[in-house]
Amino acid sequence: MLDVSLIGTSGMMPLPNRYLTALYLRLNGRLLLIDCGEGTQVTLKSLGWGFKNLDVILITHFHADHISGLPGLLLTVGNSGREEPITIIGPRGLSHVVKSLLVIAPELPFEINIIEMQKPEEFQIGEFNIKSLNVEHGMDCFAYSIYVKRLGKFNPEKAKALNLPVKFWSVLQKGETVEYEGKTYEPDLVMGDCRKGIKISYCTDSRPVKRLVPFIAHSDLFICEGIYGEDEKIDKAREYKHMIFKEAATLAKDGEVKELWLTHYSPALTNPKEFLNNARAVFKNSYCGYDRKCVTIMFEE
Amino acid sequence: MLDVSLIGTSGMMPLPNRYLTALYLRLNGRLLLIDCGEGTQVTLKSLGWGFKNLDVILITHFHADHISGLPGLLLTVGNSGREEPITIIGPRGLSHVVKSLLVIAPELPFEINIIEMQKPEEFQIGEFNIKSLNVEHGMDCFAYSIYVKRLGKFNPEKAKALNLPVKFWSVLQKGETVEYEGKTYEPDLVMGDCRKGIKISYCTDSRPVKRLVPFIAHSDLFICEGIYGEDEKIDKAREYKHMIFKEAATLAKDGEVKELWLTHYSPALTNPKEFLNNARAVFKNSYCGYDRKCVTIMFEE
């Protein structure tokens, strides 16, 4: 199971009751963060999942509302006692941006592994399987999907056929390799096909480019920007390379996702629910995100 | 009269209900900010004094909790429509720090005038008369005082003696120079001595060095760090170059200030009022600061 918390829902600037858009994922106690604007550490603190197990931070792009909280967060992670390295993934130029911001946090007790992307890539960090997709925001910007794999069921018939001592079965079942009498046995020799895992996808900021549809396809949860709720603000959304609610919902529908959460609202959009029906008219399972909206997604039975 | 708002009261990291320590001053509609940690713009927004008239930002030192909010704030000031330059004053190295942080805010609609100090200095920015004092925090760090001058009373006897037409009296009274029949008349020719103005002083972060006493002397309001309330934490305060409540109160007493507001509490100090008596035992007019604690200080009648 995967815990998901939409940390904030504001775009452009943090507001007194609305922090900047970011996403926190927790999987078997390990943490992944997407974006880190000013104040993200405050709302993470409210959430109470801690900081020490934060293994990876994904940055969508370098507009301040998506990265300005990084030095403060990293200092707080350091104060939490972390000494293991942290991986930060983002567009090209990430090293320069992170190094510049860390002018005010020059001494962290952990290493930072920076990964710069120029094109869509895939990474595995712990149990998080991460894919990126370049989107359209007038500067290098990436959408992300996170996939949590689920192993197949253990198949005792297959295990018997290997003629391995029974004591090794549980080792293979845990996904570990067994060495026995000079031979190597891989776990997949005793497991059925992988079962459906959990997929989350996240897109902000971007125009609703067509390549997003296969990228987000069949997500359990699609978190997408909707900077304006009103249909008639589409020209403004086009100008600033954002999306309106209806466009996010169209992506959700075309990608056949299970559920859409809208986020990254304009500061002028004081009551996003007022326009939720503009999304629901296109995709029924649309919901307005709000700060620290949480869900625990289970593997399907 | 001068409006004062203690914008936040946290030290080290912003907390869900306690923003980082900063001070906002408003004088005839113009604004001065001391320090700008992560989230300062959020609590400024709650206060409602606006951003456009922010003429000067004083930075005490470069620990992240005192400056990490700068790029976000400057972007918000830009969004408020400001096009006039902003002055930022702080320790040597300020240009490098500001330039580094602005990697995520590369296009602001106003110029920034940076003033780096190596020693105590004095500045006049609009009607704000600013003095700085280097304090002791293990890195370059400055305390600040702000003085608002009050002109003397208009003296009609002096004006009569000048043999100037009466229509010029009000010009001189407003503090403007008059040119008449080839002569120049300065306002002070018709004004009594300057009357007592308003003085605010601000010190965080520092040990309570003796030179602070004359620097803060006779302030109407002294805002001072008190990272720990407990007397027995003095060794820890010494180690980290901070002060306990009692030390701040001793400065206030020795400086004969009117009132002390404590701030910059350790995140572990959840209820500062619990230890307020440790300050009051030394200086009666000690108060615990809290976020957006405001006062309007009037000229003395």
Side-chain angles (χ1 to χ4, degrees):
Chain A
M1 68 184 203
L2 176 72
D3 294 318
V4 179
S5 180
L6 178 58
I7 283 303
T9 49
S10 189
M12 295 171 65
M13 63 181 74
L15 299 177
N17 291 307
R18 199 194 275 173
Y19 282 92
L20 287 168
T21 296
L23 192 76
Y24 217 27
L25 301 182
R26 181 169 61 176
L27 178 63
N28 294 326
R30 309 310 301 184
L31 298 162
L32 175 152
L33 177 68
I34 308 183
D35 279 350
C36 186
E38 182 176 357
T40 289
Q41 67 159 308
V42 179
T43 175
L44 289 179
K45 179 102 181 160
S46 295
L47 183 66
W49 293 0
F51 296 95
K52 193 175 174 183
N53 292 345
L54 176 56
D55 297 326
V56 53
I57 302 172
L58 310 176
I59 299 293
T60 57
H61 65 298
F62 303 144
H63 280 150
D65 54 331
H66 295 260
I67 195 167
S68 50
L70 196 61
L73 175 71
L74 293 176
L75 283 165
T76 293
V77 171
N79 286 332
S80 76
R82 186 180 181 97
E83 294 180 351
E84 305 161 75
I86 283 188
T87 300
I88 308 181
I89 300 173
R92 59 188 168 178
L94 181 63
S95 292
H96 173 64
V97 171
V98 172
K99 193 182 161 193
S100 298
L101 292 177
L102 291 187
V103 67
I104 52 169
E107 291 173 17
L108 294 168
F110 48 79
E111 282 180 25
I112 299 175
N113 300 326
I114 301 270
I115 301 177
E116 297 192 1
M117 299 177 295
Q118 297 204 29
K119 54 177 179 44
E121 292 199 40
E122 297 186 22
F123 310 93
Q124 181 169 357
I125 310 281
E127 293 182 81
F128 295 111
N129 295 278
I130 302 158
K131 286 187 186 179
S132 67
L133 178 76
N134 54 313
V135 290
E136 188 185 322
H137 188 51
M139 71 190 306
D140 281 3
C141 184
F142 286 89
Y144 291 100
S145 77
I146 316 295
Y147 189 73
V148 181
K149 284 182 184 165
R150 188 184 193 191
L151 294 178
K153 281 188 178 163
F154 178 71
N155 185 329
E157 299 306 317
K158 282 185 171 183
K160 276 180 203 159
L162 290 178
N163 288 319
L164 264 180
V166 173
K167 66 173 178 181
F168 291 125
W169 290 14
S170 63
V171 179
L172 290 168
Q173 200 172 353
K174 282 179 196 159
E176 292 166 27
T177 300
V178 166
E179 301 284 343
Y180 178 66
E181 292 185 346
K183 281 191 186 174
T184 302
Y185 296 85
E186 298 291 341
D188 56 7
L189 290 170
V190 299
M191 307 298 271
D193 293 339
C194 273
R195 287 170 288 178
K196 187 178 179 309
I198 297 167
K199 181 176 176 182
I200 302 286
S201 49
Y202 181 94
C203 177
T204 175
D205 306 351
S206 180
R207 290 292 301 144
V209 288
K210 279 187 183 169
R211 59 185 174 275
L212 274 164
V213 174
F215 183 76
I216 65 170
H218 307 294
S219 293
D220 294 275
L221 177 60
F222 174 39
I223 288 161
C224 188
E225 75 145 296
I227 198 158
Y228 309 121
E230 305 92 319
D231 289 353
E232 55 273 26
K233 288 201 173 164
I234 190 162
D235 289 343
K236 207 170 164 190
R238 282 195 185 112
E239 183 185 351
Y240 294 109
K241 305 284 185 191
H242 282 287
M243 305 184 209
I244 58 171
F245 281 14
K246 191 182 195 171
E247 291 174 310
T250 304
L251 285 174
K253 180 188 164 205
D254 294 347
E256 298 177 34
V257 307
K258 278 196 186 162
E259 192 166 315
L260 166 68
W261 288 3
L262 294 158
T263 186
H264 200 273
Y265 309 126
S266 160
L269 183 55
T270 49
N271 180 15
K273 282 192 175 171
E274 193 181 338
F275 303 102
L276 180 57
N277 280 340
N278 292 346
R280 289 200 168 163
V282 175
F283 180 72
K284 193 180 158 196
N285 279 343
S286 299
Y287 296 88
C288 285
Y290 52 82
D291 285 25
R292 295 185 301 285
K293 179 171 180 164
C294 292
V295 65
T296 296
I297 301 179
M298 313 292 285
F299 290 118
E300 282 181 0
E301 280 313 309
Chain B
M1 67 184 207
L2 176 72
D3 294 319
V4 179
S5 180
L6 178 58
I7 281 304
T9 49
S10 190
M12 295 171 65
M13 63 181 73
L15 298 177
N17 291 307
R18 198 193 277 172
Y19 283 92
L20 288 168
T21 295
L23 192 76
Y24 216 27
L25 301 182
R26 181 170 62 177
L27 179 63
N28 294 326
R30 309 310 300 184
L31 298 161
L32 176 152
L33 177 68
I34 308 183
D35 278 349
C36 185
E38 182 176 357
T40 289
Q41 68 160 307
V42 179
T43 175
L44 289 179
K45 180 103 181 162
S46 295
L47 183 67
W49 292 1
F51 296 96
K52 193 174 175 185
N53 292 344
L54 176 55
D55 296 326
V56 54
I57 302 172
L58 309 177
I59 299 293
T60 57
H61 64 298
F62 303 144
H63 279 151
D65 54 331
H66 294 259
I67 194 167
S68 51
L70 196 61
L73 175 71
L74 293 176
L75 283 165
T76 293
V77 171
N79 286 332
S80 76
R82 187 181 180 95
E83 293 180 351
E84 303 161 76
I86 282 187
T87 299
I88 307 180
I89 299 173
R92 58 188 170 177
L94 182 63
S95 291
H96 172 65
V97 170
V98 171
K99 192 181 162 194
S100 297
L101 292 177
L102 291 187
V103 67
I104 51 170
E107 291 172 16
L108 294 169
F110 48 80
E111 283 181 21
I112 298 175
N113 300 326
I114 301 269
I115 301 177
E116 296 192 1
M117 299 177 294
Q118 297 204 29
K119 54 177 178 46
E121 292 197 41
E122 297 187 21
F123 310 94
Q124 181 169 358
I125 309 282
E127 293 182 78
F128 295 110
N129 295 277
I130 301 159
K131 286 188 186 179
S132 66
L133 178 77
N134 53 313
V135 290
E136 188 185 322
H137 188 52
M139 70 191 304
D140 281 3
C141 183
F142 286 89
Y144 292 100
S145 78
I146 316 295
Y147 189 73
V148 181
K149 284 182 185 162
R150 189 184 191 193
L151 294 177
K153 280 189 179 162
F154 179 70
N155 185 329
E157 300 306 317
K158 281 186 171 182
K160 275 180 203 159
L162 290 176
N163 287 319
L164 262 181
V166 172
K167 66 174 179 183
F168 291 125
W169 289 15
S170 63
V171 180
L172 291 168
Q173 199 172 352
K174 281 178 196 160
E176 292 166 27
T177 300
V178 167
E179 302 283 343
Y180 178 66
E181 292 187 344
K183 281 191 186 173
T184 302
Y185 297 85
E186 298 292 341
D188 57 6
L189 291 170
V190 300
M191 308 298 271
D193 293 339
C194 274
R195 287 170 287 179
K196 187 178 180 309
I198 297 167
K199 180 177 176 182
I200 302 286
S201 50
Y202 181 95
C203 177
T204 175
D205 305 351
S206 182
R207 290 292 301 142
V209 288
K210 279 186 183 170
R211 60 185 173 274
L212 274 164
V213 174
F215 183 76
I216 66 170
H218 308 292
S219 293
D220 294 274
L221 178 60
F222 174 39
I223 289 161
C224 188
E225 76 145 295
I227 198 158
Y228 309 121
E230 304 92 320
D231 289 353
E232 56 271 28
K233 288 201 174 164
I234 190 161
D235 289 342
K236 208 170 163 191
R238 283 195 184 111
E239 183 185 349
Y240 294 110
K241 306 282 185 192
H242 283 285
M243 303 183 211
I244 58 172
F245 282 14
K246 192 182 196 171
E247 292 175 308
T250 304
L251 286 175
K253 181 189 164 208
D254 294 348
E256 298 177 34
V257 307
K258 278 197 186 162
E259 193 167 315
L260 165 69
W261 289 4
L262 294 157
T263 186
H264 200 275
Y265 309 126
S266 158
L269 183 54
T270 49
N271 181 14
K273 282 192 176 172
E274 193 180 340
F275 302 103
L276 180 57
N277 281 339
N278 291 347
R280 289 201 168 162
V282 175
F283 180 72
K284 194 180 157 195
N285 279 344
S286 299
Y287 296 88
C288 285
Y290 52 83
D291 286 25
R292 295 186 301 285
K293 179 171 180 161
C294 292
V295 65
T296 297
I297 301 180
M298 313 293 284
F299 290 117
E300 280 180 3
E301 281 313 311

